[in-house]
Amino acid sequence: MSNLYLGYHFKVEPKELGTEILIAELGEKPFESFIETEDGFSAYIQKDVWTDNVLEGIYLLNSPEFTISYTIEEIEQVNWNEEWEKNFEPIDVDGKCHVRAPFHPKTSAEFDIVIEPKMSFGTGHHETTHMMIQHLLDMEVVGMKTLDMGCGTAILAILAEMKGAEPIDAIDIDNWCYLNSIENAERNNCHKISVYEGDAELLKGKKYDLIIANINRNILLNDMQQYVDCMNKNGVLLLSGFYSEDIPFIDASCTEKGLTFVKKLERNNWVSLKYVN
């Protein structure tokens, strides 16, 4: 094997949902790493396993709902740590929670979370993750049995454990997210988190005091009844992954299932909502 890589630099619009779907599709191909960029992401493949039809059959590239363009660059011996360092800046949420990569220095923040994002999303940089962190920082969660649905990097499950929630289930349908969540939980010395690979089917017979679901609107609406069925009395549901225009649909689904709206957070048109049972 040579050390030559090809880097595909994608511009994706709308970015968040398009990037998530396209990375999932490219994951079925021999691409071995993905890095989020300002207007999309970069995907890397070893030149030895590349073929000129590597993007054949990628649905999203032909979808009228997304505008996608890309350039290709030949790269010698990609240093992934260096790439993360260039693209992953530490973040601070309300002066209480610091999210950083392993190569960033530790701070005196009350909650210092170390995330190796790899191919998963949920570094705290995106508005939805940032708002979910804010919700958790504002809550008393000690002893709450918690579900982090669509856990990504498990950042929210990790913060929940740091704040005293237990036990915690972290679930993601994506194999990279599943593996990355296990790694990040270990990295942050979390012992109350159980990580599962799958979807809402895994929730049958489970009960939680706190459910965190940072996914996209369609999945939230599709799985909402399963979330509600899993909530203990006075349970809390934190939702994000959608825009302010989606609020009427999300709110109607929640209220018709007996939930009561408590709080809304908004950042750059992205929204996070809190409900209680």
Side-chain angles (χ1 to χ4, degrees), residues 197-208:
E197 183 177 352
D199 57 16
E201 289 296 308
L202 295 176
L203 302 181
K204 287 177 182 172
K206 300 265 193 174
K207 286 290 184 182
Y208 300 98

Side-chain angles (χ1 to χ4, degrees), residues 151-163:
C151 58
T153 60
I155 184 174
L156 300 174
I158 290 164
L159 178 57
E161 176 169 332
M162 287 180 171
K163 291 205 70 191

Side-chain angles (χ1 to χ4, degrees), residues 212-272:
I212 305 162
N214 184 12
I215 318 180
N216 68 59
R217 185 191 87 165
N218 293 340
I219 293 176
L220 291 176
L221 292 173
N222 186 67
D223 295 346
M224 194 71 75
Q225 188 62 60
Q226 283 156 291
Y227 302 155
V228 174
D229 290 344
C230 285
M231 293 175 72
N232 284 326
K233 185 170 174 56
N234 301 317
V236 177
L237 177 63
L238 301 178
L239 301 171
S240 198
F242 49 92
Y243 298 105
S244 55
E245 293 83 359
D246 299 319
I247 291 175
F249 305 100
I250 298 290
D251 187 64
S253 179
C254 289
T255 52
E256 75 181 13
K257 295 173 179 60
L259 301 183
T260 303
F261 170 76
V262 176
K263 186 177 181 181
K264 176 182 86 167
L265 296 177
E266 187 167 350
R267 281 173 71 88
N268 300 324
N269 204 41
W270 291 94
V271 176
S272 182

Side-chain angles (χ1 to χ4, degrees), residues 153-205:
T153 60
I155 184 174
L156 300 174
I158 290 164
L159 178 57
E161 176 169 332
M162 287 180 171
K163 291 205 70 191
E166 64 171 302
I168 300 166
D169 288 343
I171 297 176
D172 205 293
I173 197 167
D174 189 300
N175 181 252
W176 299 325
C177 294
Y178 164 72
L179 296 172
N180 192 218
S181 291
I182 292 172
E183 182 181 327
N184 285 325
E186 290 173 354
R187 188 183 293 278
N188 288 275
N189 298 312
C190 291
H191 306 291
K192 309 292 175 61
I193 298 172
S194 301
V195 184
Y196 301 95
E197 183 177 352
D199 57 16
E201 289 296 308
L202 295 176
L203 302 181
K204 287 177 182 172

Side-chain angles (χ1 to χ4, degrees), residues 37-57:
T37 59
E38 193 174 319
D39 47 14
F41 67 97
S42 295
Y44 296 92
I45 183 172
Q46 288 197 37
K47 193 172 182 182
D48 282 355
V49 298
W50 176 87
T51 57
D52 58 7
N53 64 347
V54 71
L55 297 183
E56 200 172 278

